[in-house]
Amino acid sequence: MRRTASSALWMSLSCGLAAAVISSAAGHPGEHGAGGVQTDEEVCIAPLGPEGCGKAAALKRRYLAGLEPFEVKDATFNPFADRDYLSDTDVQNNFLDIAVDPTAGTISGSNTITVKSLVSGLTTFNFALRSNFAVTQVQVNGANVALPSAPGANSYLRTVTLNRPYALNEVFTVKIFYNGVPVSRGFGSIEFTTQASMPLISSLSQPYYAATWWPAKDGDVFMPGDNADKATWRMALTTPGNLMGVSNGVMTSVETLGDGRKRWNWESNYQMATYLACFSVTNYNAYSVPYTYNPPGGGAPVSFPFRYFMYPGSDTAANRAAWEKVLPMMDALQPVYGVYPFANEGYGMYQFPFGGGMEHQTMTGQDGYGESLTVHELGHQWWGDNVTCRTWHDIWFNEGMATYSEAVYAERKVGSTGQTALVSAMNARKPSSTAVAGTVYVYDTSDNNAIFNSALVYNKAGWVWHMLRGVMGDATFWNFMAQIRSQYQGGAVTTEDVRAVADAVTGQDFAPFINQWVYLGGAPTYVKGFAPLTVNGKTYAKFHIRQSQSTSYPTFTTPIDSQFTSSGGTVMYKVAPVARTSWFVRKTPASPTAFNLDPNTWVLNYGKTAETYVTAGAPPVILESLPLPGASSEFVASPTNVQVTFSENMNLASDNFQVLRNGTPIAFSYSWSPATLTATLQFESKLSPAAYSVQTLGSPTSTATAVALDGDVANPNLASSLPSGNGAPGGGASYNFTVVAGSCPADLNADGVVDDSDFVLFATAYDAFSTMAADINGDAQTDDMDFVLFAAAYDLLECP
């Protein structure tokens, strides 16, 4: 929504926001975690309580005040133009020295930007400052240079021509003097208002509105930007003498000026993205609470203060107690997130006039006291501030993980029911079945509604993190998150960076997951069915998982838990569907009586209804084999055949199999038993020491249905990879086993001694020459070399 909405539309913007509104209005749950009543479009989430609907409420207030909520783009705007100029420089520090005048509604002062050139011969520096501000002077390394031109249409960018070319890695300063009456944009990027008749001036720059109150290197308005260029921060904030100024980091001093005004000096030595810089001015009541964290495992204690800034009228015991819950929240999150990333400067919370909250680095602004809101903003300190979405395309990284922090805290807080609480929290943050059609990835960064879409960028993205945890398992997932922080703390990540870390940590390919859940829209709706199967006295569950969601949605291949109940107990397997209908067979301790799909709620879905097992199209599979995949046997007890058991009668012949010995095919005779559904591959003798591979060839089919074998073996060296199958017909089988020499390969009859009985066996094999029956050295034949080894063992008479 870029132009003033109709009054009818805005009057509908409340905690009951309708679907028609979300498509044209802000759809954003208060930065962060929503409040009020659950709605179809997720503008509000019940657990947050009475805060209201966050930024949706803020937008409504702006409309009722006659203010334009978002910057207006004219017809010349080109969303694909390269207007950011972000890669030529690296900002080291911002020193913002400004005075605010509540009566005149003005900001005046300067920003001294310390810059390092990243190119040779740098001659210009670009910064963003909205056109309503006058730039009165610019100095480069203390020398005046020409004033920049005012920004063009649809832009905040201004260009300074430097006093000379700057070399690669050369550092210089650009000091920009400016003044003007700020124009608030976005969700209230800079507000001059009041609380209890006292002046209140506050900023909220996200996503690209920092330039509405200070000159900074930043991505241009509407553009994807690049949050990787972070800088340390100093702020000298001059206010009327009866007001207090709050900003990021630590307040280093307060000066009383000759005219009675006060200058509040703040500083942060942590690198910070431009949009996370903030200030707020009013007659705050301020207090602090000490905090110490003792890391699990006996690490060194970490101590820092929590600082609070409240309006005097809000400074009640109840409100203090609500905000001080952030201490046990910190205790709950640090064991899995790592130590609070800004411990040297502490954590602050200040009251501001915007809906919901904003995770300004080290100093969160909030207008409410709800538990979910507070933990959401705290979670951002790790995921959003310490590690930041690199572009606004990738904001799902920030908001999804902060939303998931609400659920993680519900799971981990004192007195929690654990997994039950986690699932309850995630279900409370489940997008509606219509809202989920959109993408988590923000393709159009010129649309604030898309950037802050609560159903997608917050709630569905929260589920993306939850599903990653479900796929990886707890230990691997938290290691994955630690690796993201280790590699990118103090910097920024793209969606592809996240995928690359997931691949590296797990050794798996997460490109399909990211494609389906981040880049594409929708979610699965499952239909399930099962039937019992007994073969050779062993019990199995045959089951299918069908996806009935819109054909415009992808087929979701996310591994999902499948639980089976029987008189012998309960077993659970994780399977990955590959098609709209996927079939599987898994072992059960007794004949299965019930099938529960995703019993622990790890996958976002919109139905798990039951139906009769679908036999049409169901492929046969390999149930078991001897030797098992990954088996290893000593030569004295090596197999003389391979047995492969199928789930049903098969159309098979000898040319449907191949056995490789160290990569070379070996001969066998083939037989099939309809009674046991087993193919036997018989060798001329026992197998000698070597690496073996059993493979199916061609496309063996079921005699009953003519459906091709699903023979895929997930891990050819793991016994639990059988029964075979990836869910679809047509895959061939391949698995491995080994035979090793062992401690006494000359003991051919395995009676513990090397004697005349073994000699008779050796002589028989030696006469055959080609047989492996006495192939002690593993060269695929019994010959003189084996005789030498046998004779040496025979002289010892007994095995070692």
Side-chain angles (χ1 to χ4, degrees):
M1 193 276 301
R2 292 168 193 73
R3 299 191 181 278
T4 302
S6 70
S7 59
L9 183 150
W10 278 110
M11 288 305 291
S12 68
L13 183 54
S14 67
C15 288
L17 190 66
V21 177
I22 191 69
S23 65
S24 58
H28 186 314
E31 178 50 40
H32 307 304
V37 180
Q38 179 83 23
T39 73
D40 283 344
E41 297 305 321
E42 317 309 316
V43 174
C44 309
I45 302 175
L48 253 178
E51 277 86 49
C53 297
K55 289 189 177 172
L59 285 172
K60 181 177 178 181
R61 290 196 296 268
R62 289 181 59 74
Y63 168 74
L64 294 175
L67 300 174
E68 182 75 51
F70 295 132
E71 196 67 86
V72 177
K73 296 178 298 216
D74 69 21
T76 66
F77 175 70
N78 177 6
F80 302 105
D82 182 8
R83 298 186 287 117
D84 284 349
Y85 308 101
L86 297 172
S87 61
D88 289 353
T89 56
D90 176 17
V91 173
Q92 310 281 292
N93 177 263
N94 288 292
F95 175 29
L96 187 62
D97 183 355
I98 60 173
V100 294
D101 186 334
T103 303
T106 59
I107 295 177
S108 60
S110 66
N111 185 24
T112 303
I113 309 173
T114 303
V115 184
K116 181 169 75 172
S117 174
L118 299 180
V119 297
S120 297
L122 181 73
T123 58
T124 60
F125 175 73
N126 297 281
F127 69 95
L129 184 65
R130 200 175 185 277
S131 59
N132 52 290
F133 285 105
V135 174
T136 58
Q137 185 180 8
V138 177
Q139 295 178 341
V140 177
N141 280 347
N144 289 332
V145 297
L147 298 180
S149 300
N154 306 308
S155 178
Y156 290 166
L157 290 184
R158 309 186 192 211
T159 301
V160 172
T161 300
L162 303 177
N163 58 337
R164 61 174 176 83
Y166 283 83
L168 176 67
N169 294 326
E170 190 172 1
V171 176
F172 59 95
T173 61
V174 177
K175 187 172 185 178
I176 302 160
F177 297 83
Y178 74 110
N179 63 72
V181 177
V183 176
S184 190
R185 284 292 179 261
F187 297 104
S189 58
I190 177 68
E191 293 288 334
F192 281 69
T193 183
T194 61
Q195 56 82 22
S197 301
M198 292 297 295
L200 172 61
I201 308 168
S202 298
S203 68
L204 196 164
S205 302
Q206 195 181 30
Y208 30 57
Y209 295 116
T212 63
W213 63 276
W214 67 292
K217 178 184 173 183
D218 200 8
D220 203 0
V221 64
F222 308 133
M223 303 303 288
D226 186 347
N227 293 315
D229 190 358
K230 298 184 176 183
T232 55
W233 174 255
R234 287 177 60 200
M235 187 175 202
L237 177 58
T238 300
T239 71
N242 61 335
L243 304 180
M244 177 183 291
V246 174
S247 186
N248 308 83
V250 176
M251 186 172 66
T252 58
S253 65
V254 182
E255 304 170 71
T256 300
L257 306 183
D259 58 5
R261 294 183 300 166
K262 288 184 178 179
R263 180 183 293 128
W264 305 84
N265 296 300
W266 289 80
E267 184 172 349
S268 177
N269 290 315
Y270 290 105
Q271 299 284 312
M272 180 172 66
T274 300
Y275 78 94
L276 294 172
C278 72
F279 82 92
S280 190
V281 174
T282 194
N283 63 327
Y284 284 114
N285 281 0
Y287 73 100
S288 66
V289 175
Y291 171 79
T292 296
Y293 172 63
N294 294 294
V302 179
S303 298
F304 53 87
F306 282 79
R307 304 182 184 93
Y308 302 95
F309 303 86
M310 289 184 178
Y311 307 154
S314 300
D315 188 6
T316 65
N319 287 343
R320 285 195 176 200
W323 273 12
E324 288 170 24
K325 286 183 180 180
V326 75
L327 278 75
M329 291 174 185
M330 189 75 79
D331 285 338
L333 296 185
Q334 287 184 111
V336 287
Y337 287 2
V339 173
Y340 171 62
F342 310 115
N344 289 344
E345 296 175 2
Y347 184 63
M349 298 175 66
Y350 69 98
Q351 198 168 356
F352 71 177
F354 310 107
M358 177 62 206
E359 69 278 8
H360 298 126
Q361 188 166 301
T362 72
M363 186 63 72
T364 284
Q366 288 185 199
D367 79 332
Y369 303 89
E371 184 175 276
S372 292
L373 173 63
T374 298
V375 75
H376 182 113
E377 303 306 330
L378 177 62
H380 266 311
Q381 299 298 312
W382 286 268
W383 319 113
D385 294 7
N386 184 225
V387 183
T388 308
C389 63
R390 180 148 191 173
T391 75
W392 301 117
H393 294 307
D394 311 298
I395 192 175
W396 71 271
F397 172 87
N398 293 24
E399 300 305 344
M401 197 57 205
T403 299
Y404 195 47
S405 296
E406 302 171 36
V408 171
Y409 177 62
E411 172 194 17
R412 297 182 56 82
K413 68 181 179 180
V414 175
S416 172
T417 55
Q419 177 73 18
T420 300
L422 176 68
V423 170
S424 177
M426 291 310 299
N427 282 333
R429 289 154 180 81
K430 185 175 182 178
S432 72
S433 58
T434 53
V436 79
T439 65
V440 164
Y441 189 81
V442 177
Y443 287 94
D444 182 6
T445 61
S446 71
D447 184 354
N448 279 239
N449 306 321
I451 292 174
F452 298 111
N453 185 299
S454 62
L456 301 172
V457 173
Y458 289 70
N459 295 338
K460 187 177 179 182
W463 274 90
V464 169
W465 293 108
H466 183 65
M467 289 186 289
L468 284 168
R469 181 179 172 187
V471 171
M472 293 180 184
D474 263 24
T476 301
F477 175 76
W478 294 121
N479 180 41
F480 158 64
M481 297 306 296
Q483 289 302 312
I484 290 177
R485 185 175 172 194
S486 174
Q487 293 181 39
Y488 292 100
Q489 62 184 335
V493 293
T494 66
T495 299
E496 287 304 299
D497 292 331
V498 173
R499 181 199 58 76
V501 176
D503 290 356
V505 168
T506 64
Q508 302 173 24
D509 180 10
F510 273 81
F513 180 97
I514 294 296
N515 186 55
Q516 292 159 21
W517 286 109
V518 178
Y519 294 128
L520 299 176
T525 299
Y526 295 116
V527 185
K528 60 177 182 170
F530 82 103
L533 172 68
T534 301
V535 175
N536 300 330
K538 298 178 180 180
T539 55
Y540 303 86
K542 301 190 297 183
F543 62 102
H544 73 270
I545 300 172
R546 183 164 62 85
Q547 296 184 37
S548 62
Q549 66 268 19
S550 167
T551 56
S552 66
Y553 294 173
T555 296
F556 291 88
T557 59
T558 308
I560 188 168
D561 290 332
S562 300
Q563 183 186 71
F564 298 93
T565 302
S566 70
S567 61
T570 298
V571 291
M572 187 156 62
Y573 299 95
K574 195 179 291 291
V575 298
V578 295
R580 283 299 168 118
T581 301
S582 296
W583 291 266
F584 304 94
V585 179
R586 292 294 184 268
K587 295 178 182 178
T588 55
S591 186
T593 56
F595 171 23
N596 191 357
L597 188 64
D598 192 28
N600 295 319
T601 315
W602 285 110
V603 178
L604 177 63
N605 69 84
Y606 291 85
K608 297 181 290 186
T609 57
E611 65 182 4
T612 302
Y613 177 69
V614 175
T615 58
V621 300
I622 296 173
L623 295 178
E624 61 180 355
S625 70
L626 289 175
L628 291 168
S632 180
S633 60
E634 292 192 358
F635 178 48
V636 296
S638 67
T640 60
N641 60 47
V642 166
Q643 299 177 31
V644 182
T645 301
F646 293 80
S647 58
E648 56 192 277
N649 208 5
M650 299 292 294
N651 296 311
L652 286 169
S654 61
D655 59 4
N656 289 124
F657 295 95
Q658 178 174 255
V659 179
L660 303 177
R661 182 186 185 280
N662 291 337
T664 301
I666 60 175
F668 59 83
S669 62
Y670 163 80
S671 63
W672 170 255
S673 170
T676 62
L677 303 178
T678 300
T680 300
L681 314 180
Q682 186 69 45
F683 308 112
E684 64 175 350
S685 69
K686 68 179 182 178
L687 300 178
S688 64
Y692 293 88
S693 178
V694 180
Q695 300 174 350
T696 61
L697 304 175
S699 297
T701 59
S702 163
T703 58
T705 65
V707 177
L709 172 71
D710 183 6
D712 291 275
V713 177
N715 186 332
N717 299 308
L718 193 63
S720 60
S721 293
L722 294 181
S724 70
N726 70 350
S734 179
Y735 66 90
N736 307 320
F737 66 91
T738 59
V739 175
V740 297
S743 60
C744 193
D747 180 20
L748 299 180
N749 65 356
D751 64 357
V753 296
V754 181
D755 55 14
D756 291 345
S757 298
D758 299 299
F759 181 79
V760 172
L761 294 174
F762 182 87
T764 302
Y766 183 83
D767 288 342
F769 183 69
S770 63
T771 182
M772 290 185 283
D775 178 24
I776 296 172
N777 70 348
D779 63 358
Q781 58 190 12
T782 302
D783 55 15
D784 292 345
M785 296 300 295
D786 299 299
F787 179 76
V788 172
L789 296 173
F790 181 82
Y794 184 81
D795 288 341
L796 294 175
L797 190 62
E798 62 184 7
C799 292

